[in-house]
């Protein structure tokens, strides 16, 4: 990394603050971080311009209750991995595409669809028929306990966290996802590439008023239809190794396991899934040695959990619609329309 690209403590604090209050005005965050609003705006512009951090609208908690989420494992010939990853990355349903260490699974996908039938059509009629695909395994998420929008960088101190306060949750109304109109979807579509677009700009793009935009966004987030997520490149997180553990646990224990799996600061995802291995958990770690340490710690704390597979990510091609380079920096956006 060049000196001009160096990440400062202020950068890390700014990202953590935005993970908690993603659309807060710079003037609101400036006193908390001890700098001016102009400085924060300039810092954020640099971070996003270098692809080190980005903020976008993503499906909220209501999505997992009323729509369909699946994790799809894809196999292909070794020489076709990069080519196939690029092809899959162009598919809107595959919101996240990760190249994994060779030796079994070649791609790990997060797929979003309106319902199980639509997801099945995507897997069998589009994904499985792509050139070079030799195998597909689909794991439907039955419960999503933790996901990327809840992950925190951990750069703020307790006083700063207290000053920010907890993010508003509102009243979760799963039925709201079924009542979106064209304006709602247009707003969400504009906020996928840039979740910090201002009310005036959103009003201009959608042909409505800033007051209407404010009301719609409040309803969409309070209902759990959408949330906002601040993601980072490994150069900023300091966690370059992604590992997904597949595990098996007695059904009676699955609902309780997430309380341990998700409490660790490296946790990015915990889900109950279909299949013989009914637990899926993803962690971002500092090095390869931490993979074994994390597994050992998990098994010690959760005697009924048996780890059945360890899928190590070697490169994320696409994360929740954002295209990444070999260093995990954002280079662009591939439109997704999960709503």
């Amino acid at each position: 990394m060049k000196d001009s690209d160096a990440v400062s403590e202020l950068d890390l604090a700014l990202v953590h603050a935005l993970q908690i209050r993603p659309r807060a005005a710079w003037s609101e965050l400036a006193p908390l971080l001890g700098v001016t609003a102009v400085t924060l705006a300039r810092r954020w512009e640099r971070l996003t311009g270098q692809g080190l951090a980005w903020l976008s609208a993503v499906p909220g908690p209501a999505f997992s209750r009323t729509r369909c989420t699946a994790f799809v494992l894809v196999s292909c010939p070794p020489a076709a991995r990069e080519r196939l990853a690029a092809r899959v990355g162009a598919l809107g349903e595959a919101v996240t595409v990760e190249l994994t260490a060779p030796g079994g699974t070649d791609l790990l996908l997060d797929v979003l669809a309106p319902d199980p039938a639509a997801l099945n059509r995507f897997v069998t009629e589009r994904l499985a028929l792509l050139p070079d695909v030799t195998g597909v395994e689909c794991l439907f998420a039955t419960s999503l306990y933790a996901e990327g929008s809840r992950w925190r960088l951990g750069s703020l101190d307790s006083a700063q966290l207290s000053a920010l306060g907890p993010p508003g949750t509102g009243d979760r109304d799963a039925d709201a996802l079924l009542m979106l109109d064209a304006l709602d979807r247009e707003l969400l579509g504009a906020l996928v590439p840039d979740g910090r677009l201002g009310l005036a700009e959103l009003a201009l793009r959608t042909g409505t008023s800033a007051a209407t935009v404010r009301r719609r966004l409040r309803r969409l987030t309070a209902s759990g239809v959408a949330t906002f997520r601040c993601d980072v490149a490994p150069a900023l997180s300091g966690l370059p190794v992604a590992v997904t553990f597949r595990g098996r646990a007695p059904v009676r224990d699955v609902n309780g396991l997430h309380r341990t799996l998700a409490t660790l600061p490296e946790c990015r995802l915990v889900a109950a899934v279909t299949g013989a291995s009914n637990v899926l958990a993803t962690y971002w770690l500092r090095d390869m040695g931490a993979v074994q340490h994390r597994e050992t710690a998990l098994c010690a704390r959760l005697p009924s959990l048996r780890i059945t597979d360890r899928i190590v990510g070697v490169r994320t091609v696409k994360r929740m619609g954002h295209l990444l380079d070999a260093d995990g920096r954002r280079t662009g956006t591939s439109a997704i329309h999960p709503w």
Side-chain angles (χ1 to χ4, degrees), residues 18-174:
L18 289 174
Q19 288 176 331
I20 299 170
R21 298 277 302 283
R23 287 183 56 81
W26 299 130
S27 58
E28 294 178 59
L29 298 179
L32 175 78
L33 300 178
V35 296
T36 66
V38 171
T39 296
L40 291 184
R42 186 170 62 245
R43 290 279 183 162
W44 181 246
E45 183 178 5
R46 182 177 69 84
L47 288 172
T48 56
Q50 294 174 351
L52 287 169
W54 57 97
L55 199 153
S56 61
V58 297
F63 189 98
S64 63
R65 292 196 299 269
T66 60
R67 300 294 176 98
C68 192
T69 299
F71 307 99
V72 180
L73 289 68
V74 182
S75 302
C76 68
R81 287 161 49 86
E82 291 280 351
R83 181 171 62 243
L84 180 59
R87 285 185 178 134
V88 175
L91 303 176
E93 294 88 344
V95 297
T96 296
V97 179
E98 187 170 30
L99 272 166
T100 64
T105 297
D106 292 289
L107 301 180
L108 175 60
L109 318 179
D110 293 4
V111 178
L112 303 180
D115 52 54
L119 198 144
N120 180 66
R121 287 194 298 272
F122 166 74
V123 170
T124 60
E125 298 175 12
R126 298 183 65 197
L127 180 64
L129 297 182
L130 287 176
D132 302 316
V133 171
T134 58
V136 173
E137 182 180 1
C138 184
L139 312 175
F140 286 90
T142 56
S143 293
L144 197 60
Y145 300 112
E147 41 73 39
S149 67
R150 304 181 195 182
W151 181 82
R152 301 290 182 257
L153 194 55
S155 302
L156 298 176
D157 60 34
S158 57
Q160 290 171 315
L161 291 172
S162 178
L164 275 175
T169 56
D171 298 323
R172 300 303 190 196
D173 177 8

Side-chain angles (χ1 to χ4, degrees), residues 260-338:
T260 297
L261 293 170
T263 53
L264 301 168
E266 310 101 327
C267 181
R268 288 284 296 187
L269 170 78
V270 178
V273 296
T274 57
S277 297
N278 55 353
V279 177
L280 193 79
T282 297
Y283 294 85
W284 282 3
L285 305 173
R286 295 194 179 279
D287 52 48
M288 287 300 298
V291 174
Q292 182 176 349
H293 294 155
R294 176 53 54 229
E295 179 179 346
T296 300
L298 288 176
C299 291
R301 296 174 67 178
L302 299 166
S304 67
L305 175 66
R306 179 190 169 201
I307 301 298
T308 59
D309 198 5
R310 307 134 194 93
I311 303 171
V312 176
V314 295
R315 181 190 164 199
T316 303
V317 175
K318 179 181 180 183
R319 181 180 299 138
M320 201 52 74
H322 297 275
L323 303 176
L324 311 183
D325 66 13
D327 295 321
R329 297 188 181 214
R330 184 177 73 159
T331 60
T333 303
S334 176
I336 61 172
H337 304 284

Side-chain angles (χ1 to χ4, degrees), residues 213-288:
V213 170
R214 183 184 293 107
R215 284 195 303 272
R216 292 296 183 108
L217 290 184
R218 186 179 297 122
R219 179 175 66 85
L220 290 168
T221 54
S223 66
V225 168
T227 190
F228 290 92
R229 168 169 153 174
C230 185
D231 265 314
V232 298
L236 196 147
S237 70
L239 302 169
V241 176
V243 59
T244 295
F245 294 111
R246 297 183 68 184
R248 181 182 303 129
V251 174
R252 65 178 182 276
D253 294 343
V254 170
N255 277 334
L257 289 177
H258 74 278
R259 296 186 184 93
T260 297
L261 293 170
T263 53
L264 301 168
E266 310 101 327
C267 181
R268 288 284 296 187
L269 170 78
V270 178
V273 296
T274 57
S277 297
N278 55 353
V279 177
L280 193 79
T282 297
Y283 294 85
W284 282 3
L285 305 173
R286 295 194 179 279
D287 52 48
M288 287 300 298

